[in-house]
Coordinates of all heavy atoms in Angstrom, one line a residue:
P270 N 113.7 -55.2 -24.2 CA 114.1 -56.6 -24.6 C 114.8 -56.4 -26.2 O 115.8 -57.1 -26.4 CB 112.9 -57.4 -24.8 CG 112.0 -56.7 -23.8 CD 112.3 -55.3 -23.9
L271 N 114.2 -55.5 -26.9 CA 114.8 -55.3 -28.2 C 116.1 -54.4 -28.3 O 116.6 -54.2 -29.5 CB 113.7 -55.0 -29.3 CG 112.6 -56.0 -29.3 CD1 111.6 -55.2 -30.3 CD2 113.2 -57.3 -30.0
G272 N 116.5 -53.7 -27.3 CA 117.5 -52.8 -27.3 C 117.2 -51.5 -27.9 O 118.1 -50.8 -28.3
I273 N 115.9 -51.2 -27.9 CA 115.4 -49.9 -28.6 C 115.6 -48.8 -27.6 O 115.1 -48.9 -26.5 CB 114.1 -50.0 -29.2 CG1 114.0 -51.1 -30.3 CG2 113.5 -48.6 -29.6 CD1 112.5 -51.6 -30.6
K274 N 116.3 -47.7 -28.0 CA 116.5 -46.6 -27.1 C 115.7 -45.3 -27.6 O 115.5 -44.4 -26.7 CB 117.9 -46.3 -26.9 CG 118.6 -47.6 -26.2 CD 119.8 -47.2 -25.5 CE 120.3 -48.5 -25.0 NZ 121.2 -48.4 -23.8
S275 N 115.6 -45.1 -28.9 CA 114.9 -44.0 -29.4 C 113.8 -44.4 -30.3 O 114.0 -45.3 -31.1 CB 116.0 -43.2 -30.1 OG 116.8 -42.6 -29.3
I276 N 112.7 -43.6 -30.3 CA 111.6 -44.0 -31.1 C 111.0 -42.8 -31.8 O 110.9 -41.6 -31.1 CB 110.4 -44.7 -30.2 CG1 111.0 -45.9 -29.6 CG2 109.2 -44.8 -31.0 CD1 109.9 -46.6 -28.7
L277 N 110.7 -42.9 -33.0 CA 109.8 -41.9 -33.8 C 108.7 -42.6 -34.3 O 108.8 -43.5 -35.3 CB 110.8 -41.3 -34.9 CG 110.1 -40.5 -35.9 CD1 109.4 -39.2 -35.3 CD2 111.1 -40.0 -37.0
D278 N 107.4 -42.3 -33.9 CA 106.3 -43.0 -34.2 C 105.2 -42.0 -34.7 O 105.0 -41.0 -34.0 CB 105.7 -43.9 -33.1 CG 106.4 -45.1 -32.9 OD1 107.5 -45.3 -33.4 OD2 106.2 -45.8 -31.8
I279 N 104.6 -42.3 -35.8 CA 103.6 -41.4 -36.4 C 102.3 -42.4 -36.8 O 102.6 -43.3 -37.5 CB 104.0 -40.6 -37.6 CG1 105.1 -39.6 -37.1 CG2 102.9 -39.7 -38.1 CD1 105.8 -38.8 -38.2
P280 N 101.2 -42.0 -36.4 CA 100.1 -43.0 -36.8 C 99.6 -42.8 -38.2 O 99.8 -41.9 -38.8 CB 98.9 -42.4 -35.8 CG 99.3 -41.0 -35.5 CD 100.8 -40.8 -35.6
I281 N 99.0 -43.8 -38.7 CA 98.3 -43.9 -39.9 C 96.8 -43.9 -39.5 O 96.3 -44.7 -38.8 CB 98.5 -45.3 -40.7 CG1 100.1 -45.3 -40.9 CG2 97.8 -45.3 -42.0 CD1 100.6 -46.7 -41.2
W282 N 96.0 -43.0 -40.1 CA 94.7 -42.7 -39.9 C 93.8 -43.2 -41.0 O 94.1 -43.1 -42.2 CB 94.5 -41.2 -39.7 CG 95.1 -40.6 -38.5 CD1 96.4 -40.0 -38.6 CD2 94.6 -40.5 -37.2 NE1 96.8 -39.5 -37.2 CE2 95.7 -39.8 -36.3 CE3 93.5 -40.9 -36.5 CZ2 95.5 -39.6 -35.0 CZ3 93.4 -40.6 -35.2 CH2 94.5 -40.0 -34.4
Y283 N 92.6 -43.6 -40.6 CA 91.5 -43.9 -41.5 C 90.3 -43.7 -40.8 O 90.0 -44.2 -39.7 CB 91.5 -45.4 -42.0 CG 90.5 -45.8 -42.9 CD1 90.4 -45.2 -44.2 CD2 89.5 -46.7 -42.6 CE1 89.4 -45.6 -45.0 CE2 88.4 -47.0 -43.4 CZ 88.4 -46.4 -44.6 OH 87.3 -46.8 -45.5
N284 N 89.3 -43.0 -41.4 CA 88.0 -42.6 -40.8 C 88.2 -42.1 -39.4 O 87.6 -42.5 -38.4 CB 87.1 -43.7 -40.9 CG 86.4 -44.0 -42.2 OD1 86.4 -43.0 -43.1 ND2 86.0 -45.2 -42.4
Q285 N 89.2 -41.2 -39.2 CA 89.5 -40.6 -37.8 C 89.8 -41.5 -36.7 O 89.7 -41.3 -35.5 CB 88.4 -39.7 -37.5 CG 88.1 -38.5 -38.5 CD 86.8 -37.8 -38.1 OE1 86.0 -38.3 -37.4 NE2 86.7 -36.7 -38.7

Side-chain angles (χ1 to χ4, degrees):
L271 296 174
I273 298 165
K274 301 208 179 196
S275 297
I276 296 175
L277 170 60
D278 289 355
I279 299 178
I281 301 165
W282 295 91
Y283 177 67
N284 284 340
Q285 301 173 343

